[in-house]
Amino acid sequence: MYTYPGLVAIVTSRSNGTQNLMAAAWHTYLGMEPPTYGVSIGRARHTYNLIAESGVFAVNFLPAHLSEWIQLIGTTSGRDIDKFKKFGIPYQDGLQVDVPILQDAYFAYECKVTDVRTHGDHELFSGEILQTYKDAEMFKENQIPDLSKLQVPLYFGRSTYLIADDTAKVKKHYDQG
Protein backbone atom coordinates (compact mmCIF):
# COMPACT_ATOMS: atom_id res chain seq x y z
CA MET A 1 0.00 0.00 0.00
CA TYR A 2 1.40 3.38 -0.99
CA THR A 3 0.28 6.88 -0.12
CA TYR A 4 3.05 8.73 -1.91
CA PRO A 5 4.21 11.34 -2.65
CA GLY A 6 4.28 12.91 0.77
CA LEU A 7 6.14 15.25 3.02
CA VAL A 8 8.27 13.30 5.47
CA ALA A 9 8.46 14.64 9.01
CA ILE A 10 11.19 13.85 11.50
CA VAL A 11 9.64 12.92 14.84
CA THR A 12 11.89 13.45 17.85
CA SER A 13 11.36 12.02 21.31
CA ARG A 14 13.09 11.66 24.66
CA SER A 15 12.41 9.68 27.82
CA ASN A 16 14.57 8.98 30.87
CA GLY A 17 17.72 10.32 29.20
CA THR A 18 17.25 8.35 25.96
CA GLN A 19 16.41 10.28 22.81
CA ASN A 20 15.66 9.33 19.24
CA LEU A 21 14.46 10.60 15.90
CA MET A 22 12.57 8.78 13.17
CA ALA A 23 11.26 9.58 9.70
CA ALA A 24 7.46 9.55 9.56
CA ALA A 25 5.40 9.64 6.40
CA TRP A 26 2.07 9.32 8.22
CA HIS A 27 1.39 12.61 10.01
CA THR A 28 -1.18 15.40 9.80
CA TYR A 29 -2.62 18.53 11.32
CA LEU A 30 -5.74 17.44 13.25
CA GLY A 31 -7.42 20.52 14.70
CA MET A 32 -7.32 24.22 15.48
CA GLU A 33 -8.82 24.61 18.99
CA PRO A 34 -6.57 23.57 20.56
CA PRO A 35 -3.97 23.29 17.79
CA THR A 36 -3.35 19.56 17.41
CA TYR A 37 -0.95 17.50 15.30
CA GLY A 38 -0.92 13.74 14.87
CA VAL A 39 1.76 11.17 14.09
CA SER A 40 1.11 7.51 13.33
CA ILE A 41 3.85 5.28 14.73
CA GLY A 42 4.22 1.52 14.68
CA ARG A 43 4.22 -0.12 18.10
CA ALA A 44 7.45 -1.95 17.24
CA ARG A 45 9.35 1.33 16.77
CA HIS A 46 11.80 2.64 19.38
CA THR A 47 10.19 6.09 19.11
CA TYR A 48 6.80 4.59 20.01
CA ASN A 49 8.12 3.53 23.43
CA LEU A 50 9.76 6.90 24.10
CA ILE A 51 6.56 8.84 23.30
CA ALA A 52 4.37 6.40 25.25
CA GLU A 53 6.65 6.83 28.31
CA SER A 54 7.16 10.61 28.12
CA GLY A 55 3.83 11.79 26.71
CA VAL A 56 5.55 14.30 24.42
CA PHE A 57 7.05 14.50 20.92
CA ALA A 58 8.25 17.01 18.35
CA VAL A 59 7.64 17.14 14.60
CA ASN A 60 10.43 18.64 12.49
CA PHE A 61 10.50 19.45 8.78
CA LEU A 62 13.88 19.42 7.01
CA PRO A 63 14.77 21.07 3.69
CA ALA A 64 15.63 18.98 0.62
CA HIS A 65 19.39 19.42 0.91
CA LEU A 66 19.11 17.22 4.03
CA SER A 67 17.27 14.37 2.26
CA GLU A 68 20.24 12.12 2.99
CA TRP A 69 19.67 12.64 6.73
CA ILE A 70 15.97 11.84 6.26
CA GLN A 71 16.90 8.60 4.51
CA LEU A 72 19.51 7.63 7.13
CA ILE A 73 17.15 8.46 10.00
CA GLY A 74 14.41 6.38 8.38
CA THR A 75 16.54 3.30 7.71
CA THR A 76 18.32 2.89 11.06
CA SER A 77 17.04 2.12 14.54
CA GLY A 78 17.66 4.21 17.62
CA ARG A 79 17.76 0.98 19.59
CA ASP A 80 21.08 0.22 17.89
CA ILE A 81 22.76 3.64 17.63
CA ASP A 82 22.49 7.24 18.79
CA LYS A 83 21.42 8.76 15.46
CA PHE A 84 22.13 12.31 16.64
CA LYS A 85 25.80 11.45 17.24
CA LYS A 86 26.24 8.96 14.39
CA PHE A 87 24.94 11.38 11.72
CA GLY A 88 26.06 14.65 13.38
CA ILE A 89 22.54 16.06 13.65
CA PRO A 90 22.50 19.28 15.72
CA TYR A 91 19.56 19.99 17.99
CA GLN A 92 18.44 22.16 20.87
CA ASP A 93 16.17 21.28 23.75
CA GLY A 94 12.51 22.18 23.41
CA LEU A 95 11.20 25.26 25.18
CA GLN A 96 7.95 23.77 26.47
CA VAL A 97 8.55 20.01 26.71
CA ASP A 98 11.57 17.73 26.99
CA VAL A 99 12.21 16.92 23.31
CA PRO A 100 15.02 17.61 20.83
CA ILE A 101 14.27 20.25 18.18
CA LEU A 102 16.39 19.95 15.04
CA GLN A 103 18.40 23.11 14.42
CA ASP A 104 18.22 22.62 10.65
CA ALA A 105 14.42 22.30 10.57
CA TYR A 106 12.66 25.10 8.69
CA PHE A 107 9.54 24.37 10.77
CA ALA A 108 8.87 22.36 13.93
CA TYR A 109 6.21 21.69 16.59
CA GLU A 110 6.51 20.65 20.22
CA CYS A 111 3.53 18.54 21.23
CA LYS A 112 2.03 17.07 24.41
CA VAL A 113 0.09 13.84 23.83
CA THR A 114 -3.65 14.32 24.36
CA ASP A 115 -4.99 11.12 22.81
CA VAL A 116 -3.79 7.78 21.45
CA ARG A 117 -5.83 5.65 19.03
CA THR A 118 -5.05 2.24 17.60
CA HIS A 119 -5.15 1.85 13.82
CA GLY A 120 -3.98 -1.64 12.84
CA ASP A 121 -0.33 -2.05 13.81
CA HIS A 122 0.13 1.69 14.45
CA GLU A 123 -0.92 4.14 17.13
CA LEU A 124 -2.01 7.64 16.22
CA PHE A 125 -0.57 9.99 18.82
CA SER A 126 -2.52 13.26 18.87
CA GLY A 127 -0.58 16.08 20.44
CA GLU A 128 -1.53 19.59 21.43
CA ILE A 129 0.95 21.97 19.83
CA LEU A 130 2.59 23.89 22.67
CA GLN A 131 5.40 25.59 20.74
CA THR A 132 6.19 26.25 17.09
CA TYR A 133 9.50 27.09 15.46
CA LYS A 134 9.76 28.70 12.04
CA ASP A 135 12.64 29.95 9.95
CA ALA A 136 10.79 33.13 8.92
CA GLU A 137 13.16 33.73 5.99
CA MET A 138 11.81 30.58 4.31
CA PHE A 139 8.19 31.81 4.24
CA LYS A 140 6.34 34.49 2.34
CA GLU A 141 4.14 37.08 4.05
CA ASN A 142 1.10 34.86 3.45
CA GLN A 143 2.87 32.05 5.41
CA ILE A 144 3.35 29.86 2.32
CA PRO A 145 6.88 28.46 1.94
CA ASP A 146 9.02 30.61 -0.34
CA LEU A 147 10.18 27.98 -2.83
CA SER A 148 12.75 30.39 -4.26
CA LYS A 149 14.58 30.01 -0.92
CA LEU A 150 13.41 26.61 0.30
CA GLN A 151 13.44 23.27 -1.47
CA VAL A 152 11.00 20.77 0.03
CA PRO A 153 11.59 17.01 -0.31
CA LEU A 154 8.55 14.90 -1.22
CA TYR A 155 8.99 11.18 -0.62
CA PHE A 156 7.92 8.75 -3.36
CA GLY A 157 9.00 5.56 -1.61
CA ARG A 158 11.94 3.25 -2.25
CA SER A 159 14.50 5.96 -1.36
CA THR A 160 13.17 8.30 -4.07
CA TYR A 161 12.48 12.00 -3.48
CA LEU A 162 10.98 14.72 -5.66
CA ILE A 163 12.30 18.18 -4.86
CA ALA A 164 9.67 20.93 -4.85
CA ASP A 165 11.26 24.29 -5.55
CA ASP A 166 10.53 27.51 -7.44
CA THR A 167 10.43 25.59 -10.74
CA ALA A 168 7.31 23.73 -9.56
CA LYS A 169 4.07 25.00 -11.00
CA VAL A 170 1.46 26.02 -8.46
CA LYS A 171 -2.08 25.71 -9.74
CA LYS A 172 -5.07 27.03 -7.88
CA HIS A 173 -8.38 25.34 -8.49
CA TYR A 174 -11.59 27.14 -7.75
CA ASP A 175 -14.84 25.25 -7.68
CA GLN A 176 -17.31 27.03 -9.92
CA GLY A 177 -20.30 25.09 -8.52
Side-chain angles (χ1 to χ4, degrees):
M1 179 174 78
Y2 293 94
T3 58
Y4 306 110
L7 184 61
V8 175
I10 302 300
V11 177
T12 55
S13 55
R14 182 184 293 145
S15 179
N16 298 317
T18 300
Q19 61 187 23
N20 194 40
L21 62 168
M22 68 167 277
W26 297 342
H27 58 91
T28 189
Y29 200 79
L30 295 170
M32 299 275 293
E33 289 296 328
T36 306
Y37 206 85
V39 293
S40 182
I41 300 177
R43 288 184 294 281
R45 302 282 178 238
H46 183 51
T47 296
Y48 169 85
N49 293 323
L50 296 176
I51 295 173
E53 291 168 4
S54 68
V56 296
F57 62 92
V59 183
N60 302 262
F61 298 94
L62 293 175
H65 74 274
L66 296 174
S67 300
E68 185 176 337
W69 274 359
I70 296 169
Q71 189 64 25
L72 291 169
I73 291 165
T75 56
T76 57
S77 175
R79 282 190 183 95
D80 303 326
I81 60 170
D82 179 338
K83 296 184 213 179
F84 290 96
K85 287 182 183 176
K86 173 84 174 176
F87 306 129
I89 299 173
Y91 66 92
Q92 62 191 36
D93 292 331
L95 296 175
Q96 300 295 320
V97 298
D98 188 23
V99 292
I101 302 296
L102 303 184
Q103 290 180 1
D104 291 304
Y106 62 88
F107 198 85
Y109 298 119
E110 286 183 40
C111 299
K112 178 182 176 190
V113 175
T114 57
D115 189 42
V116 182
R117 302 285 173 137
T118 300
H119 296 277
D121 61 349
H122 280 61
E123 300 286 336
L124 176 63
F125 289 95
S126 300
E128 180 178 352
I129 299 169
L130 301 178
Q131 181 75 41
T132 60
Y133 301 82
K134 179 173 82 172
D135 182 346
E137 290 182 19
M138 297 297 144
F139 292 83
K140 296 179 182 180
E141 288 181 21
N142 61 4
Q143 304 308 312
I144 292 176
D146 185 344
L147 296 180
S148 70
K149 297 177 182 177
L150 174 66
Q151 293 182 325
V152 177
L154 299 176
Y155 184 61
F156 270 77
R158 301 189 184 260
S159 304
T160 304
Y161 294 85
L162 170 76
I163 307 304
D165 61 16
D166 62 350
T167 65
K169 302 292 183 207
V170 177
K171 182 177 179 180
K172 292 185 179 183
H173 174 75
Y174 298 96
D175 186 8
Q176 301 297 320

